[in-house]
Amino acid sequence: MAPGESNLKTLLSSLKPILHTDLFVFLTIPNTTIAETIPNLHTLQPHLLFQETEGTTVVVTRDRADSHGFTDYIFPCRMITISVHSSLEAVGLTAAISAKLKDIGVSANVVSGFYHDHIFVPDGREEVAVRALRDLAQEN
């Protein structure tokens, strides 16, 4: 069994969303080696790299994207971290979060890290999203 909490009721009652102040963006780079495309990857400091057939998705702060010459990014967003250490095998957490945000009309791009889940929501919708997640925790 993977480390972290897997009981859905416990996870939901322990959400404690943390809103990050940085503005994030999504961009894609060709599927060459990352070192060829971004020779100074360490200074870009991506929060996420995910390789897909069509290209590698990069999630990075807008400031870092701009300073590295990336201008064709999309989805300016804010990151909310769910502070509970959730198991990667937990069932229903991201579904419950997505459903709650769907009910208030907020897009949710959820990423699971080893320790926490992170939700990218459109810039300007972060406060309403955090309130909804706090409400979800209180409901459980």
Side-chain angles (χ1 to χ4, degrees):
M1 173 161 278
E5 182 59 56
S6 60
N7 180 281
L8 182 58
K9 182 90 170 149
T10 302
L11 286 167
L12 291 174
S13 65
S14 306
L15 286 180
K16 295 182 184 79
I18 299 168
L19 177 62
H20 299 266
T21 58
D22 289 320
L23 182 63
F24 289 85
V25 294
F26 282 62
L27 58 98
T28 185
I29 59 173
N31 272 335
T32 58
T33 65
I34 291 189
E36 289 174 16
T37 308
I38 311 172
N40 51 352
L41 180 64
H42 67 284
T43 62
L44 183 62
Q45 298 178 345
H47 277 66
L48 173 71
L49 294 171
F50 194 89
Q51 190 167 355
E52 300 177 280
T53 303
E54 302 84 358
T56 299
T57 299
V58 180
V59 178
V60 63
T61 66
R62 185 174 66 184
D63 289 344
R64 293 271 179 195
D66 288 340
S67 71
H68 283 72
F70 292 105
T71 58
D72 56 347
Y73 47 75
I74 63 167
F75 192 59
C77 55
R78 301 293 175 165
M79 183 172 71
I80 302 168
T81 295
I82 303 304
S83 61
V84 64
H85 179 181
S86 56
S87 169
L88 289 166
E89 296 176 7
V91 176
L93 177 61
T94 58
I97 289 169
S98 294
K100 185 69 172 181
L101 295 178
K102 175 195 69 79
D103 289 346
I104 60 168
V106 175
S107 168
N109 290 281
V110 182
V111 175
S112 295
F114 190 90
Y115 294 102
H116 307 285
D117 293 293
H118 309 276
I119 307 148
F120 293 91
V121 299
D123 184 34
R125 301 289 296 178
E126 63 273 9
E127 295 296 336
V128 68
V130 168
R131 276 194 304 276
L133 294 172
R134 287 181 181 147
D135 290 346
L136 180 60
Q138 288 182 352
E139 294 165 7
N140 287 278

